[in-house]
Amino acid sequence: MKFALVTGGSRGIGRAICIKMADLGYNVLVNYKSNEEESKNTCLLVEKKGVKAISLKFDVSDKNQVQTVLGGFIETHPDYEIEVLINNAGIREDALLIWMKDEQWESVINTNLGGFYYVTKMVVTNMLLKKYGRIINIVSLSGLKGVPGQINYSAAKAGIIGATKALAQEIGRKGITVNAVAPGFIKTDMTEGLNEKELQLMIPLRRFGLPEEVAHVVGFLASKESAYITAEVISVNGGLYS
Ligand code: NDP
């Protein structure tokens, strides 16, 4: 049974990616941190597409949880092959450097960058054995351009971009591609408090993007046909930054 694992699949961009993976014919492992109800809702939407959905609760920033929950799941389901990994789980906690609390720095780095590291390390071994895999990391315009008030988030996302390029070179010869997708402003809970009317004036396409528009690019990179694209970062930002 072929699976796609989507971290942070309970809401927003992650949910749209789960549905896209189902469209590609994958069974989906829907990871979440605390929102069990929304994770179950994602599972229902995935199952409507005629594939299997399994909800997996673990905190990607917690090495022990990744090892026990995800590692335990992999061990007890040797016939379930995770062929696609989408590192999507992420948080932002904005503050100017002078006001930033150590905890804000640590939680954003640990969730975004640490989560990428722990989960990818857990999943990549089987991809190497099978000599096939697709790893797609959801980064951000902040990691490309740097955004004031987001030194923690910009650093974490830029870190993942560096790791994407390095890992692509490490494991390309094993048939595994590693790419990143960098959204701009996308309508989700994460951007809910932002002044969309004002911000959209800076965006050439004059609107925030939709989660499905990010998922579309993830689906493209996850497809078998994208076999010759690796170490790339594709922006989905309405022309806000290029
Ligand atoms: P949301 O806040 O809507 O959803 C976040 C998701 O991540 C939820 O499913 C949440 O689970 C999960 N999550 C958060 N922390 C953890 C954790 N420690 N372990 C496991 N799961 C976790 O975010 P978006 O959909 O907007 O963002 C998705 C990704 O896209 C993030 O990486 C974000 O940085 C990136 N991005 C988003 C942009 C935007 O404009 N929205 C722009 C650029 C990048 P739960 O429901 O249990 O809380």
Side-chain angles (χ1 to χ4, degrees):
M1 284 238 266
K2 310 250 189 213
F3 275 85
L5 165 60
V6 183
T7 67
S10 48
R11 292 183 282 129
I13 294 171
R15 170 177 285 170
I17 293 171
C18 288
I19 295 166
K20 177 58 74 178
M21 290 303 112
D23 284 338
L24 291 184
Y26 281 106
N27 302 296
V28 186
L29 292 176
V30 181
N31 158 254
Y32 69 104
K33 184 184 175 189
S34 55
N35 208 330
E36 189 178 349
E37 199 180 325
E38 291 305 332
S39 181
K40 280 188 178 153
N41 286 336
T42 299
C43 287
L44 290 176
L45 293 166
V46 166
E47 280 162 353
K48 267 192 190 163
K49 304 273 180 179
V51 297
K52 206 176 170 74
I54 299 172
S55 191
L56 265 190
K57 178 182 179 174
F58 61 89
D59 180 341
V60 296
S61 71
D62 183 331
K63 184 176 158 179
N64 292 329
Q65 282 190 35
V66 174
Q67 260 165 10
T68 47
V69 182
L70 178 59
F73 181 87
I74 292 171
E75 216 173 291
T76 50
H77 297 83
D79 50 331
Y80 287 11
E81 189 186 330
I82 301 175
E83 202 171 82
V84 180
L85 165 64
I86 294 111
N87 288 302
N88 164 79
I91 54 165
R92 68 176 178 89
E93 284 186 42
D94 301 350
L96 295 173
L97 173 68
I98 51 165
W99 306 120
M100 188 168 286
K101 298 188 177 75
D102 290 352
E103 301 79 58
Q104 290 177 306
W105 171 262
E106 285 156 11
S107 63
V108 169
I109 296 287
N110 291 347
T111 301
N112 293 280
L113 188 54
F116 154 80
Y117 170 71
Y118 297 131
V119 175
T120 305
K121 207 170 168 192
M122 184 61 70
V123 166
V124 79
T125 312
N126 283 331
M127 289 182 177
L128 290 167
L129 290 171
K130 297 278 176 188
K131 295 193 172 60
Y132 183 87
R134 297 275 182 269
I135 299 172
I136 299 150
N137 302 316
I138 308 303
V139 292
S140 170
L141 175 147
S142 303
L144 291 168
K145 178 185 175 289
V147 171
Q150 290 194 326
I151 61 136
N152 49 359
Y153 187 75
S154 300
K157 295 300 194 185
I160 302 173
I161 291 171
T164 299
K165 294 181 180 187
L167 184 60
Q169 293 171 69
E170 282 185 23
I171 61 180
R173 70 201 160 90
K174 296 288 187 185
I176 305 167
T177 64
V178 190
N179 292 289
V181 175
F185 291 111
I186 307 297
K187 270 184 202 268
T188 67
D189 294 344
M190 190 179 267
T191 51
E192 207 173 48
L194 301 181
N195 186 339
E196 187 176 341
K197 261 199 169 153
E198 200 177 290
L199 289 168
Q200 69 190 12
L201 298 174
M202 303 187 314
I203 305 169
L205 290 179
R206 289 290 186 274
R207 63 176 178 86
F208 279 15
L210 300 173
E212 292 74 20
E213 290 171 317
V214 179
H216 173 71
V217 177
V218 174
F220 163 70
L221 290 170
S223 67
K224 299 249 165 17
E225 293 80 2
S226 292
Y228 206 54
I229 303 171
T230 198
E232 278 301 328
V233 185
I234 302 183
S235 288
V236 183
N237 64 24
L240 182 56
Y241 181 73
S242 61

